[in-house]
Amino acid sequence: MNHDMKNLPYTPQNFKDLADTPVGKELWSFLTSEGNLIRMETATMLERAAVEPLSQGLVSEFGESVRDDRTKQMIGHMARQIMDAMGYEVDRSALRITRPSLFTSGTTYRAKGSSGRQMKITREQREAWVRNTKNSPFNMWLDNQVRDEKGVLDLDKLYAVAKSHGLDKRYDSLNPGQQRMNIGVQLRKLVDPSLYADLA
């Protein structure tokens, strides 16, 4: 299957407001990276929801705020367009995801024109595929500064950290989680990795 989706445009439809933000653009870039295309395709071969193997990478890259329901819906919307471009069609919608995941349900796909559910996967392959990874050092570094001891996001602290690194733009029209993601995406490019290297 084609794993070069760098020039594939996203058609946001009802998600235009979120898709036009920095985090929306970064999410599309994240989903269309070759590694994640392979993950979605592998999930399809395993008869799992295409978004399921992306959970840990999404949290690692974008932080806990990626758990926002509307953001997850947009990710599913993006995934459907990507899978279509790779030659897949919807097999089952709203398949329940029983393993710990960012998503509680997702869509499974099959190759266009096929009946699907033909490939056999070993137990070891399944276990390797669902293995979890830790949160990224960058997100740990940022969350330590902008969340209280109960994990509640403090927007004043978030924008103070942003300002200290030269970011003045605000995203007050978005919910707090989406604001955290948009600031985080931009800060990741500006913050010296040595500031959070010891958290790795």
Side-chain angles (χ1 to χ4, degrees):
M1 295 294 174
N2 180 18
H3 291 148
D4 184 5
M5 297 285 154
K6 289 177 187 163
N7 297 319
L8 181 69
Y10 173 50
T11 306
Q13 296 169 320
N14 295 335
F15 296 99
K16 187 170 182 359
D17 59 328
L18 191 52
D20 285 345
T21 65
V23 78
K25 293 176 174 62
E26 289 292 330
L27 278 167
W28 182 249
S29 178
F30 176 87
L31 292 176
T32 55
S33 68
E34 184 177 8
N36 286 323
L37 296 175
I38 291 169
R39 287 181 184 92
M40 288 191 281
E41 195 167 51
T42 302
T44 297
M45 293 174 185
L46 292 166
E47 300 175 16
R48 308 294 301 180
V51 295
E52 188 174 350
L54 306 178
S55 295
Q56 293 302 320
L58 283 164
V59 173
S60 179
E61 185 74 16
F62 297 98
E64 289 294 323
S65 300
V66 79
R67 296 182 186 279
D68 169 70
D69 285 341
R70 191 149 187 275
T71 301
K72 290 191 292 183
Q73 289 167 0
M74 185 176 73
I75 291 167
H77 189 253
M78 289 175 164
R80 182 172 292 210
Q81 291 183 29
I82 292 166
M83 294 302 289
D84 178 71
M86 285 201 297
Y88 292 93
E89 62 188 4
V90 171
D91 184 17
R92 290 172 288 174
S93 295
L95 177 73
R96 188 165 172 239
I97 296 173
T98 55
R99 293 181 176 90
S101 174
L102 177 65
F103 304 94
T104 55
S105 65
T107 300
T108 62
Y109 297 86
R110 64 180 177 219
K112 289 178 181 176
S114 77
S115 60
R117 305 190 186 106
Q118 295 170 347
M119 185 173 179
K120 298 295 179 192
I121 303 296
T122 67
R123 187 175 139 216
E124 290 77 19
Q125 287 171 312
R126 284 185 186 272
E127 288 173 353
W129 175 69
V130 298
R131 228 173 263 137
N132 289 340
T133 59
K134 287 186 175 179
N135 201 5
S136 76
F138 169 78
N139 280 309
M140 291 169 63
W141 170 83
L142 181 56
D143 284 340
N144 284 342
Q145 297 179 77
V146 302
R147 294 185 185 276
D148 64 21
E149 62 279 356
K150 294 180 181 176
V152 177
L153 177 64
D154 184 325
L155 288 175
D156 289 335
K157 289 181 179 177
L158 176 66
Y159 283 107
V161 172
K163 192 171 183 64
S164 73
H165 290 277
L167 288 178
D168 293 317
K169 185 168 182 181
R170 295 187 65 94
Y171 298 92
D172 297 304
S173 64
L174 302 176
N175 70 39
Q178 292 167 350
Q179 291 181 61
R180 158 64 179 82
M181 281 191 294
N182 275 286
I183 295 297
V185 160
Q186 295 173 84
L187 278 176
R188 187 186 288 272
K189 298 172 183 175
L190 298 172
V191 174
D192 185 339
S194 67
L195 292 178
Y196 51 83
D198 60 339
L199 298 175

